[in-house]
Amino acid sequence: MKVLGLSCFYHDSAAALIIDGRVHSACEEERLSRKKGDSGFPQNAIGYCLGSANLRLSDLDAVVFYEKPWVKFERILHTYFAFAPRGAFHFVKKLPSILPKTLFLRQTLESQLSSLDPDWNPETLAFSDHHLSHAAASFYCSPFAECDGLIVDAVGEWATTSTFNADALGLSVLQEIHFPHSLGMFYSAVTAFCGFKVNSGEYKLMGLAPYGNPRYKSRILDQIVSPVSHGGFKCHRQAFDFFSEAGLYTDLWEEIFEIKPRYKSHRELDCYADVAASAQAALEDLLVHILIHQQKQTHRQDLCMGGGVALNCVANSVILQRTEYRNLWIQPAAGDAGGAIGAALAYHYGPEGGRGSDRHQMQNAFLGPEFSDQEIEAELKKLSIRYEHKTKEKLCVCVVDDLLKGRVVANFDGRMEFGPRALGGRSILADPRLPDMKENLNRRTKLREAFRPFAPVVMEEKVEDWFEWSGPSPFMLFTAQVRKGRVPLPAVTHVDGSARIQTVNREQNLRLHGILEEFERRTGCPILVNTSFNVRGEPIVCSPRDALRSFFECGIDTLYIGSFRIDKESNPSVPQEIALSAFAED
């Protein structure tokens, strides 16, 4: 069975192709359109997925959208008119943009898909449920035959938090919490209050939290979002404004946090560290509250998670510390982009698809486009770039040579990652032992705030020697303390002594593992800095041209792209064809 999953028209549009229950390919539209967070119809991503399998739309058994638009419209309508008259005014104002994405979505999709393939049959278009899509993307890609499940995000159709049972019979909901009670909405509101962009700045809030003291946590849990019995929670209506242009919060927040929103006050970011710390601590308490109740019902030790909140790696580690769950698997594309995978899998394993039994664990996230050495070399010649060819045997040695000189190295190899993390296919690497490397990367290479931490990538077989962690963590979704007594790793150790770890083995990424092996052979340290390969305000690079543009526009010293090494010293000027006029907002 061949099923294409789609997610779009909110943020992080994506397409995913499932063949016989296995994830064949998946790609976010932003990586191809170069528009960060692209929410439009994923025409380019669809083209990639179908082309990777030499298929047309008319060859598919189904095309599945990741949520039910008519149910979503019901929730939107109810919300606007529940806050009448102000809500009714906003509804009328927003109606022209709401209708094409809800009530008229089937017609919109049919029109767009038919334009890609006139032979495509519109009767193959199906719709999943938003949280079901997240749940399917998590469970059907996990290593578990049966487990508990938790989905937490801002909102789908109505559900904002869902606990579910997952086993051979499929997925069944145990409990749902509905809008406007939402942990994702709460965390995004705090993100906005601290002056960061909603739907992308939540990572910044998480990174800022360790610099603060969670002194407002009790106030948050009393006045903004509170736990209730039976593993639930409630958001206090007076604390949220669903129609504010600035953010979701109300003036009450200024009283709670004793500070004005950052966009109004323009105060230094340090003033908001306590707010971030308090919000993070409250989120952790509420997630633990939900899961303790769930586990009392099921008595299971395996858990899978999805939804945007599942990308909070600090909270994920707290779940393992403060609940009885011993094994936690999280979809690496846990946000809306991953809904494309889940929509297709929900169809395949559901009643319409016949529910196959040959499940396929997702071992890595390398599901995107790849480029041959011939394609890369053609681009290099077209742009008149000087380069060296390196054999596989010498490439790892050369990378480490550069790293040991304190250089920042970009690595472009194989298929692009799916999801928000760069995991080695489109990564920037550096020596984690250098005391000034974190500042150098933030200021010169990534062009971002100085407080933001970097993640370590470590050989899977050596992770226990360096971190208080055992087992694999291939998707950079957990934090662990750096073991005391080891060589200091200032570039990847956060202010609280933690690190957002990524493990890698030979099967997942032979080249990256080989670089780590060579680095350990020469330094005794099996760890490198790994951060995403992109210019500020742009998506992670996809194509050779994207990689070359980022290489020339930010502080990367050497680029290894396919089998080729490119050095800035040999290429002092930016080719005019790929020069950027300005950096986008982050």
Side-chain angles (χ1 to χ4, degrees):
M1 176 172 282
K2 298 178 286 293
V3 185
L4 182 73
L6 302 178
S7 64
C8 54
F9 302 136
Y10 180 46
H11 62 90
D12 298 328
S13 295
L17 178 64
I18 307 299
I19 299 179
D20 296 332
R22 294 169 178 256
V23 185
H24 179 275
S25 52
C27 184
E28 294 100 321
E29 183 70 7
E30 67 164 20
R31 307 290 170 85
L32 302 172
S33 69
R34 307 312 299 159
K35 179 183 176 182
K36 190 169 183 178
D38 197 337
S39 63
F41 179 72
Q43 176 175 334
N44 296 298
I46 292 170
Y48 156 67
C49 289
L50 294 177
S52 69
N54 196 27
L55 294 172
R56 300 174 62 203
L57 277 171
S58 50
D59 296 323
L60 303 175
D61 295 285
V63 177
V64 189
F65 190 70
Y66 79 127
E67 61 184 11
K68 293 179 177 175
W70 50 92
V71 182
K72 187 173 184 177
F73 178 81
E74 176 192 17
R75 187 258 301 167
I76 293 171
L77 182 66
H78 183 276
T79 301
Y80 276 116
F81 282 89
F83 291 87
R86 185 181 176 210
F89 169 78
H90 280 272
F91 178 77
V92 173
K93 182 180 178 181
K94 297 282 188 180
L95 191 60
S97 64
I98 292 171
L99 289 178
K101 300 176 182 180
T102 53
L103 288 186
F104 301 157
L105 184 62
R106 174 177 281 277
Q107 295 94 311
T108 302
L109 290 174
E110 287 181 359
S111 174
Q112 296 275 16
L113 292 166
S114 295
S115 70
L116 298 180
D117 183 356
D119 296 326
W120 173 70
N121 181 4
E123 292 184 4
T124 63
L125 180 61
F127 294 86
S128 181
D129 173 87
H130 188 103
H131 272 215
L132 174 62
S133 295
H134 280 314
S138 181
F139 173 60
Y140 291 124
C141 291
S142 78
F144 308 134
E146 60 178 46
C147 67
D148 286 352
L150 174 66
I151 305 302
V152 189
D153 61 7
V155 62
E157 290 87 358
W158 277 100
T160 68
T161 300
S162 303
T163 61
F164 62 91
N165 174 74
D167 56 28
L169 297 177
L171 303 166
S172 56
V173 174
L174 298 175
Q175 180 185 21
E176 280 189 350
I177 297 171
H178 286 182
F179 184 85
H181 308 289
S182 168
L183 295 182
M185 184 179 68
F186 154 69
Y187 204 80
S188 290
V190 182
T191 298
F193 187 87
C194 291
F196 303 131
K197 187 177 180 181
V198 172
N199 290 331
S200 66
E202 286 80 1
Y203 301 126
K204 298 183 184 184
L205 189 73
M206 183 178 67
L208 180 62
Y211 289 92
N213 179 347
R215 59 194 178 100
Y216 302 117
K217 185 181 78 168
S218 61
R219 296 186 189 180
I220 290 174
L221 294 176
D222 285 341
Q223 301 179 61
I224 297 178
V225 54
S226 303
V228 298
S229 59
H230 307 299
F233 63 88
K234 66 176 182 179
C235 289
H236 295 268
R237 180 167 172 169
Q238 66 271 23
F240 293 91
D241 183 351
F242 301 110
F243 311 114
S244 170
E245 296 296 327
L248 291 162
Y249 51 85
T250 65
D251 292 341
L252 175 64
W253 289 41
E254 293 183 30
E255 299 177 23
I256 293 172
F257 298 129
E258 304 169 310
I259 192 170
K260 291 183 178 297
R262 185 160 165 249
Y263 86 96
K264 291 181 181 177
S265 64
H266 301 290
R267 297 188 184 187
E268 290 297 321
L269 192 57
D270 292 350
C271 302
Y272 296 85
D274 288 353
V275 176
S278 302
Q280 180 67 32
L283 175 69
E284 292 163 5
D285 281 4
L286 291 164
L287 290 173
V288 169
H289 170 69
I290 293 165
L291 287 169
I292 286 176
H293 174 75
Q294 183 176 7
Q295 195 169 48
K296 284 180 179 178
Q297 295 177 293
T298 65
H299 306 289
R300 286 192 173 124
Q301 293 191 330
D302 296 333
L303 173 70
C304 65
M305 287 178 59
V309 176
L311 293 170
N312 191 307
C313 56
V314 178
N316 296 338
S317 294
V318 168
I319 287 169
L320 287 174
Q321 295 162 9
R322 292 172 54 187
T323 72
E324 296 300 316
Y325 290 108
R326 292 295 167 259
N327 302 297
L328 172 54
W329 195 90
I330 300 165
Q331 166 59 238
D336 274 14
I341 288 178
L345 287 173
Y347 185 93
H348 176 86
Y349 288 105
E352 294 168 301
R355 188 179 290 125
S357 59
D358 184 22
R359 286 181 49 216
H360 176 62
Q361 182 186 350
M362 192 171 170
Q363 299 282 0
N364 63 64
F366 300 112
L367 300 168
E370 61 181 331
F371 299 86
S372 67
D373 277 350
Q374 290 79 6
E375 291 173 298
I376 293 169
E377 190 167 25
E379 192 69 41
L380 298 177
K381 289 180 176 178
K382 186 187 301 182
L383 297 171
S384 300
I385 292 172
R386 295 184 178 92
Y387 61 91
E388 306 169 71
H389 180 271
K390 299 293 180 183
T391 64
K392 291 181 180 180
E393 293 75 20
K394 291 185 178 180
L395 188 140
C396 292
V397 174
C398 291
V399 171
V400 175
D401 286 343
D402 282 321
L403 292 168
L404 292 180
K405 293 174 184 174
R407 291 182 172 181
V408 176
V409 173
N411 185 54
F412 182 106
D413 174 50
R415 298 181 73 176
M416 183 185 64
E417 302 90 338
F418 183 61
R421 316 286 199 213
L423 302 172
R426 306 288 187 272
S427 287
I428 295 173
L429 307 174
D431 187 341
R433 305 167 303 158
L434 301 180
D436 60 348
M437 184 55 74
K438 177 184 173 182
E439 180 186 0
N440 179 31
L441 286 169
N442 271 326
R443 176 177 49 83
R444 175 173 164 261
T445 306
K446 300 292 286 186
L447 309 176
R448 67 186 198 181
E449 299 91 343
F451 72 87
R452 295 178 65 180
F454 291 97
V457 58
V458 56
M459 294 162 61
E460 184 180 301
E461 58 270 34
K462 299 296 178 71
V463 64
E464 290 187 61
D465 297 337
W466 289 81
F467 302 95
E468 294 179 10
W469 181 268
S470 61
S473 177
F475 304 127
M476 211 182 284
L477 287 168
F478 299 95
T479 60
Q481 292 292 304
V482 179
R483 287 199 183 277
K484 295 178 181 178
R486 279 293 184 181
V487 173
L489 304 171
V492 294
T493 305
H494 208 12
V495 65
D496 60 354
S498 69
R500 178 163 48 100
I501 55 173
Q502 176 202 351
T503 62
V504 65
N505 58 42
R506 288 184 179 87
E507 290 71 33
Q508 290 160 346
N509 192 319
L510 182 61
R511 174 151 140 178
L512 181 56
H513 191 272
I515 293 169
L516 289 167
E517 278 189 313
E518 179 65 16
F519 192 77
E520 184 196 33
R521 186 183 71 81
R522 295 164 67 177
T523 66
C525 176
I527 301 165
L528 290 173
V529 178
N530 177 19
T531 188
S532 59
F533 185 4
N534 62 300
V535 170
R536 186 190 73 195
E538 285 201 345
I540 296 172
V541 303
C542 175
S543 71
R545 180 159 288 216
D546 301 334
L548 291 165
R549 180 182 292 111
S550 287
F551 169 65
F552 281 108
E553 295 291 354
C554 62
I556 300 170
D557 300 302
T558 313
L559 167 61
Y560 287 85
I561 179 167
S563 299
F564 307 102
R565 179 184 184 272
I566 304 168
D567 191 89
K568 273 233 178 91
E569 294 176 358
S570 303
N571 296 273
S573 60
V574 182
Q576 190 62 36
E577 299 94 319
I578 61 173
L580 284 175
S581 58
F583 293 107
E585 290 295 322
D586 186 5

